[in-house]
Amino acid sequence: SPALLLLCVLPHALPELVALFLPLAAWLLASRYDNWDHLLAATMVTVVIAVPMLVVAASIEVYVTPHLVRSVFNL
C-alpha cells in the first residue's frame, strides 16, 4: 500500500526535509524581523548543520531503505 511505502521511506525523508528547509527558515526569520545584518551568519550556521544531515539521510537512503523495503514487501 502507499502508506506502507511512505512509512518505509520516512527514516531518510525526515532528516532530508529538515536539512532542506532549515536555511529557508533562517531566511524567513531574518526577513520577518529585518535582521539582514545577521542573515549571512544564520545562513552559514544552518548550512553547517544541514550538510551533515543530508549526508546522514543519503546514507540511510542507500544502505537502510532498500533492505527495509525488501523486508516489508517480501521482494
Side-chain angles (χ1 to χ4, degrees):
S1 73
L4 192 58
L5 182 61
L6 284 176
L7 193 62
C8 289
V9 179
L10 195 64
H12 86 268
L14 285 179
E16 192 172 4
L17 289 173
V18 169
L20 177 71
F21 288 114
L22 194 61
L24 177 64
W27 274 80
L28 288 175
L29 286 175
S31 67
R32 178 180 293 168
Y33 296 116
D34 256 354
N35 286 336
W36 295 109
D37 52 336
H38 298 286
L39 184 61
L40 181 62
T43 301
M44 293 303 293
V45 168
T46 56
V47 167
V48 166
I49 294 170
V51 168
M53 287 179 70
L54 283 174
V55 170
V56 168
S59 299
I60 292 171
E61 185 174 2
V62 169
Y63 296 113
V64 176
T65 303
H67 297 292
L68 187 62
V69 169
R70 282 189 198 116
S71 67
V72 168
F73 291 107
N74 294 324
L75 297 177

